[in-house]
Amino acid sequence: MYDDILFPTDGSDPSKEAFEYAVDLAATYGARLHVLYVADTNRDSVTTIGGEVVDALETEGERVVADVEERAREHGVEAVTEVLQGDPSTTILDYADDRGIDCIVMATRGRSGLKGLLLGSVTDRVVRQSSMPVLVVSNDE
């Protein structure tokens, strides 16, 4: 049923909880887990350190996906990792379409009411625009 599962992560605590669902689903179906971190180009994250241009979000993303890849291996799940720049929801959906992803597993912080409406949500946009199933793991803060 599932050969390729996408787990977009930002390294947050809600994402860490969603990982458990993603890795269990991948293990159950013998699926490959795609771990994606999107360095949000809507935010300024580039700086110069010692004369070298460094993108702090890309650096953080590399650390996050390496950690998730190691945790997936501990569960016996093959993981493919990638750090991309872009608008998070658009990049997630493009990645899923380009790679034939069967299911997306992602976290939401469970915001509701005016706060959720004003802040928007990457997860909400992915759910509304995805052509494949999306498993949303809620974390009420």
Side-chain angles (χ1 to χ4, degrees), residues 5-20:
I5 297 169
L6 175 57
F7 173 61
T9 182
D10 61 3
S12 65
D13 287 340
S15 281
K16 290 175 184 174
E17 290 181 31
F19 166 78
E20 297 302 326

Side-chain angles (χ1 to χ4, degrees), residues 119-132:
L119 291 174
S121 167
V122 172
T123 302
D124 290 340
R125 286 188 293 278
V126 169
V127 166
R128 281 188 276 112
Q129 297 173 10
S130 178
S131 61
M132 73 256 346

Side-chain angles (χ1 to χ4, degrees), residues 1-2 5 7 10 14 18 22 44 49 55 73 78 96 103-104 117 122 126 139:
M1 177 177 240
Y2 300 120
I5 297 169
F7 173 61
D10 61 3
D44 185 21
I49 300 175
D55 186 326
R73 258 192 260 124
E78 176 189 354
C103 180
I104 301 171
L117 180 64
V122 172
V126 169
N139 178 333

Side-chain angles (χ1 to χ4, degrees), residues 31 37 41 55 61 83 86-87 105 108 113-114 119-120:
Y37 182 100
T41 55
D55 186 326
V83 175
D87 173 75
V105 179
T108 186
L114 187 58
L119 291 174

Side-chain angles (χ1 to χ4, degrees), residues 9-50:
T9 182
D10 61 3
S12 65
D13 287 340
S15 281
K16 290 175 184 174
E17 290 181 31
F19 166 78
E20 297 302 326
Y21 288 86
V23 77
D24 284 348
L25 194 61
T28 298
Y29 288 99
R32 182 179 316 111
L33 186 64
H34 294 252
V35 182
L36 175 64
Y37 182 100
V38 180
D40 187 351
T41 55
N42 298 317
R43 298 173 44 195
D44 185 21
S45 62
V46 177
T47 189
T48 303
I49 300 175

